[in-house]
Amino acid sequence: MRSSKPAAPRSIDPEPGVISAFTKEQDAFREEVRVWMRAHVPERPLETLEGPQGFEQHVAWERTLASGRWGMVTWPEEYGGRGLDLIRWLIFEEEYWAAGAPARANQNGVFLLGPTIMEYGAAEQKARFLGPMARGEVICAQAWSEPGAGSDMAAITSKARRDGDHYVLSGQKTWSSRAAYADWAFGLFRSDPASSRHRGLTFLLFDLSSPGVTRRPIRQLHGETGFAEIFFDDVRVPIENRIGGEGEGWSIAMATAGFERGLMLRSPGRFQATAARLVGLWRASSPSAQAATKDAVRAAWMSSQAYAYATYEIAQRIMAGGKIGAEASVNKIFWSEMDRAMHRAAMHLQGASAELSRTGAGDANAWLDGYVFSLSGPIYAGSNEIQRNIVAERLLDLPRVGAG
Amino acid sequence: MDLRITDDQAALAAGVRAFFEAELPSSRLRKRTEGGADDSALWHAYVAMGLTGLCAPERLGGLGMGALEAALVAIECGRACAPGALVDTGLTAAPLLAARGEDALTAAIARGDAIVALAHARNPWIADLDGATMVLGAGETGLAPRDAALFDAVAASAGIDPNRRLFAFAGGRDDAALLDRRALMAAAELLGLAEAMVDQACAYARTRTQFGQPIGGFQAIKHALATIKVAVDFARPVVLRAARALDLAAPNAPLCISHAKIAAGDAAWAAAETAIQVHGAMGYTYEVDLHFWMKRTWALVGAWGDRAFHLDRIDETLFSGAAPIGPTRTFG
């Protein structure tokens, strides 16, 4: 193209004029994923993940994925993974979303709990949980919030009383995503009754079919039961289900929140796929609808690209030994508000037809379903108000006021 | 494609930032606007640091660095609200002149003996023409001496930015390479301006007390600044991606550059509005430095392809279906 190619050789980039940004090996891996997805992604969209039939269909998809060892490509082979680096994970995700593959029933397990167990779990816990999660045999839900502990998570009151080699759980969790249908769940419980705030909390995994566990599905605004309340009536949980030490739950949970808000839960491919579909919808729309939404549609593409560049950079930093800290909050604000804006644009593009666009299925073109789901993004995983406090206090060094 | 900044690149940026913090405090910017411009000491320092020759080939006495390094330096120029001649001459003109085979002039830039102003059909002015020896983008060949008849009747006029003197000129050529290169540098400057305005607003919010506490403790202030931080942090990878695309001579470099100019320009514009709001009435005074950064922002958003120009360039690709988009086309 232009005249300004660098005079000095540069080791980190491909040769000038080479379009592929990837190595031959990475491109070969991409092709392998693409071929497999083409052969296996269901032709018809599955029913919604938030309902019982759809959930089963999605679990079956998890097992299909696992049959190709695609459950969690970054995990070691002994746990059902492929031991791949984060760049290959991003390539996998790009091809996954480009293929129109279903949402992940086990995303909280593989993307949130998995990395936590990998970092803080004992060897026998890794062997016990990671393989079954990667194989789609165990679907895990998260159980953080309580009626009195939402944004203020340190206000948790659910108890884990020690009784010999067991903890005895009592209390209640709520807004527990997937808990209506999942097999296991993980969350924080107050193991030291004299403690307050973030001290004295313990991170526990528990079987949702344990005696004393009552699940009450909560009907969501779209009518399905994507989350649930969980009541604990002297539920006995063996101590080998504890991740990390007793009373160390808060810092472990914060690490989990970092995975969720930061890198793993929302890969760029998902949003780039949405942006591409949105552009397609725009091109098929009337001139007046196009004029009214052009800025928003363009912004959708620009934002999804910005998120992709940023994620590649963060992945490369983590691969080089770096950590992701409070900047995970910057990411969470960005992707959740981007997702909402993209789906809002689709609603506006469809005008009077928008209210008909719900199919009740996980159809990628069910823009109304997508819009409704996008409204949860700025709320879950720590509301964006909490994220903005974190950004202000930890990255902008503004005074902490009123936070515990 | 490794998108990280190398240690050497980080050191370059840190060195330039430290230099500006020491040599170009806002008091000096103020003096510059009041007493007329004498940037010769500043220019000598640039030459000593190798910045005028940063992007000139090594055989012509330069450092042979690419658009990415240039962008990192331009970010620091923006952060310091530095006068534009370094970006015009060292970061933009030098590599373009070298590519035209103008070896003598390129070498003179690297040595500090030439300053090149930039003309373009998209700009109704030439910035800082009075300090220049040559003008790129003007005249029959696209390169003209500053004292040519071409510029005889050109008079300085006051733009909004007191650190940037404008000379009305309608004869600029439509040089695509010049526009892309300088638009990328403007995007980088805008990113630095945005970061500086966030820093200024945060510094003020930490010290200004009302209702018995620093105003930065109030969520109304925190959330406004956090929102800008998000926009700025996600403009940076777009600017750096565009710089790499230019270095790679990627076919989608113009698209990436337009994206960068929009992302950084919008982030900087929003940062300016938030920063003045956080400063309250103090932000509306000449005494507080913020206005210098705001004015440069307003100027650069319109320069080197205004918002409409760059949006059109994105739209031509995005909405025509001509270029593939989606998850598998992150890098084009």
Side-chain angles (χ1 to χ4, degrees):
Chain A
M1 194 194 55
R2 316 283 184 228
S3 49
S4 51
K5 71 182 180 199
R10 303 157 67 82
S11 58
I12 57 164
D13 281 325
E15 294 300 305
V18 174
I19 293 172
S20 176
F22 299 94
T23 64
K24 280 198 186 75
E25 292 76 18
Q26 288 167 339
D27 282 335
F29 173 72
R30 178 186 293 284
E31 188 60 23
E32 183 188 353
V33 180
R34 186 173 297 180
V35 167
W36 191 90
M37 290 293 161
R38 200 177 285 145
H40 291 86
V41 168
E43 275 181 38
R44 289 170 54 87
L46 307 183
E47 290 177 70
T48 174
L49 178 56
E50 320 276 34
Q53 297 89 350
F55 188 81
E56 282 311 312
Q57 293 167 6
H58 282 81
V59 170
W61 166 247
E62 288 290 327
R63 291 181 185 155
T64 304
L65 268 182
S67 74
R69 277 196 310 127
W70 300 114
M72 193 55 197
V73 296
T74 58
W75 290 5
E77 293 188 26
E78 59 186 306
Y79 304 130
R82 291 170 174 248
L84 300 181
D85 63 31
L86 286 171
I87 296 303
R88 280 183 173 73
W89 174 69
L90 285 166
I91 293 169
F92 169 77
E93 289 278 318
E94 287 175 350
E95 293 299 327
Y96 186 93
W97 295 106
R104 300 291 302 270
N106 212 13
Q107 63 184 9
N108 292 343
V110 292
F111 293 141
L112 307 183
L113 179 60
T116 305
I117 293 178
M118 208 74 77
E119 188 156 346
Y120 299 99
E124 59 270 24
Q125 290 174 323
K126 293 180 188 175
R128 194 172 147 210
F129 291 107
L130 294 178
M133 273 197 280
R135 290 194 298 271
E137 294 164 9
V138 170
I139 305 296
C140 286
Q142 49 179 346
W144 305 120
S145 296
E146 298 180 1
S151 284
D152 184 10
M153 203 169 91
I156 280 171
T157 59
S158 287
K159 289 184 181 54
R161 176 173 55 83
R162 184 70 179 266
D163 179 21
D165 55 1
H166 280 72
Y167 289 100
V168 181
L169 307 187
S170 60
Q172 179 192 350
K173 296 288 181 180
T174 192
W175 318 135
S176 181
S177 297
R178 317 253 182 279
Y181 313 112
D183 305 302
W184 281 69
F186 56 99
L188 286 185
F189 294 84
R190 196 161 291 286
S191 50
D192 176 0
S195 68
S196 66
R197 305 302 295 162
H198 53 274
R199 290 170 295 277
L201 297 169
T202 294
F203 192 115
L204 292 173
L205 271 155
F206 54 95
D207 187 336
L208 280 164
S209 62
S210 306
V213 170
T214 304
R215 287 183 262 186
R216 188 186 296 166
I218 298 169
R219 196 170 180 213
Q220 295 178 321
L221 74 170
H222 47 58
E224 305 289 352
T225 50
F227 51 42
E229 295 174 291
I230 308 173
F231 298 89
F232 303 89
D233 185 10
D234 289 342
V235 177
R236 294 183 71 78
V237 173
I239 54 170
E240 57 261 31
N241 290 8
R242 186 185 71 206
I243 307 294
E246 187 170 293
E248 294 173 3
W250 181 264
S251 60
I252 294 169
M254 288 300 106
T256 302
F259 300 130
E260 177 173 12
R261 290 193 298 253
L263 192 63
M264 299 302 272
L265 185 64
R266 292 287 178 258
S267 71
R270 176 187 179 122
F271 303 111
Q272 291 171 295
T274 303
R277 282 199 309 276
L278 182 62
V279 170
L281 179 67
W282 185 92
R283 295 184 67 209
S285 298
S286 71
S288 64
Q290 288 182 337
T293 55
K294 195 172 195 178
D295 284 347
V297 175
R298 184 196 308 108
W301 176 78
M302 290 196 295
S303 299
S304 70
Q305 286 293 108
Y307 187 63
Y309 304 147
T311 305
Y312 269 89
E313 197 269 344
I314 292 170
Q316 281 156 340
R317 260 193 291 143
I318 291 175
M319 283 163 63
K323 288 257 178 201
I324 179 166
E327 67 187 302
S329 294
V330 176
N331 284 9
K332 197 262 171 169
I333 293 166
F334 187 82
W335 64 248
S336 61
E337 296 181 4
M338 164 174 67
D339 196 40
R340 184 174 59 184
M342 291 196 292
H343 286 89
R344 184 195 309 129
M347 293 293 285
H348 292 165
L349 253 177
Q350 294 178 103
S353 301
E355 62 172 323
L356 296 173
S357 71
R358 178 159 196 270
T359 65
D363 185 343
N365 293 313
W367 290 105
L368 177 56
D369 284 350
Y371 178 63
V372 170
F373 181 69
S374 78
L375 295 177
S376 67
I379 299 170
Y380 65 66
S383 75
N384 285 13
E385 286 70 28
I386 294 297
Q387 308 305 337
R388 283 185 164 83
N389 286 351
I390 293 170
V391 171
E393 290 164 9
R394 301 199 200 152
L395 297 177
L396 298 177
D397 199 23
L398 294 173
R400 295 185 69 124
V401 177
Chain B
M1 171 78 67
D2 192 333
L3 297 188
R4 285 173 301 159
I5 297 299
T6 65
D7 291 345
D8 284 350
Q9 290 162 345
L12 169 68
V16 175
R17 185 184 302 194
F19 166 77
F20 279 131
E21 283 170 357
E23 300 301 325
L24 195 62
S26 64
S27 57
R28 189 152 168 189
L29 275 183
R30 270 170 200 282
K31 196 173 286 177
R32 191 175 181 280
T33 66
E34 286 152 14
D38 179 8
D39 294 331
S40 55
L42 197 58
W43 202 258
H44 287 313
Y46 291 155
V47 175
M49 290 178 74
L51 293 179
T52 59
L54 187 81
C55 302
E58 286 170 274
R59 67 183 173 81
L60 300 176
L63 297 174
M65 294 198 183
L68 179 56
E69 287 85 357
L72 291 170
V73 171
I75 290 169
E76 299 308 324
C77 291
R79 188 193 306 281
C81 203
L86 176 60
V87 180
D88 286 346
T89 301
L91 307 184
T92 304
L96 296 174
L97 289 165
R100 286 172 59 123
E102 297 283 351
D103 285 5
L105 181 53
T106 308
I109 291 173
R111 284 196 313 273
D113 292 339
I115 294 180
V116 179
L118 307 176
H120 195 276
R122 297 231 147 248
N123 296 328
W125 40 253
I126 299 170
D128 303 317
L129 177 66
D130 52 347
T133 49
M134 298 289 286
V135 179
L136 179 63
E140 297 243 324
T141 64
L143 181 65
R146 193 256 294 178
D147 55 3
L150 199 56
F151 305 111
D152 277 355
V154 171
S157 63
I160 183 68
D161 178 356
N163 280 299
R164 209 163 143 272
R165 289 175 313 284
L166 298 184
F167 297 80
F169 183 73
R173 299 171 66 87
D174 191 5
D175 178 334
L178 173 58
L179 183 94
D180 276 341
R181 176 91 188 187
R182 190 59 182 88
L184 171 66
M185 293 302 125
E189 290 177 274
L190 285 161
L191 179 63
L193 287 159
E195 291 178 351
M197 289 187 284
V198 170
D199 288 349
Q200 289 169 19
C202 288
Y204 186 77
R206 282 192 286 270
T207 54
R208 167 68 175 166
T209 61
Q210 284 286 271
F211 305 101
Q213 67 167 74
I215 62 170
F218 294 116
Q219 285 194 332
I221 301 294
K222 281 182 176 171
H223 289 193
L225 288 168
T227 296
I228 294 302
K229 170 78 174 160
V230 172
V232 174
D233 280 6
F234 276 92
R236 174 174 278 264
V238 179
V239 171
L240 298 186
R241 163 68 192 141
R244 289 179 201 275
L246 191 57
D247 274 337
L248 294 167
N252 67 350
L255 173 67
C256 291
I257 289 167
S258 285
H259 184 184
K261 181 98 190 310
I262 295 295
D266 287 358
W269 199 285
E273 291 184 354
T274 297
I276 189 173
Q277 188 68 24
V278 167
H279 279 84
M282 283 303 292
Y284 213 79
T285 65
Y286 202 87
E287 174 194 341
V288 167
D289 293 331
L290 175 66
H291 66 96
F292 290 115
W293 275 254
M294 292 173 61
K295 291 165 180 170
R296 179 68 54 83
T297 298
W298 300 331
L300 288 181
V301 164
W304 299 104
D306 60 14
R307 228 175 153 273
F309 170 83
H310 288 291
L311 291 179
D312 279 348
R313 270 207 332 188
I314 294 168
D315 291 354
E316 281 163 19
T317 306
L318 185 62
F319 292 121
S320 69
I325 59 171
T328 64
R329 308 308 296 248
T330 297
F331 300 105

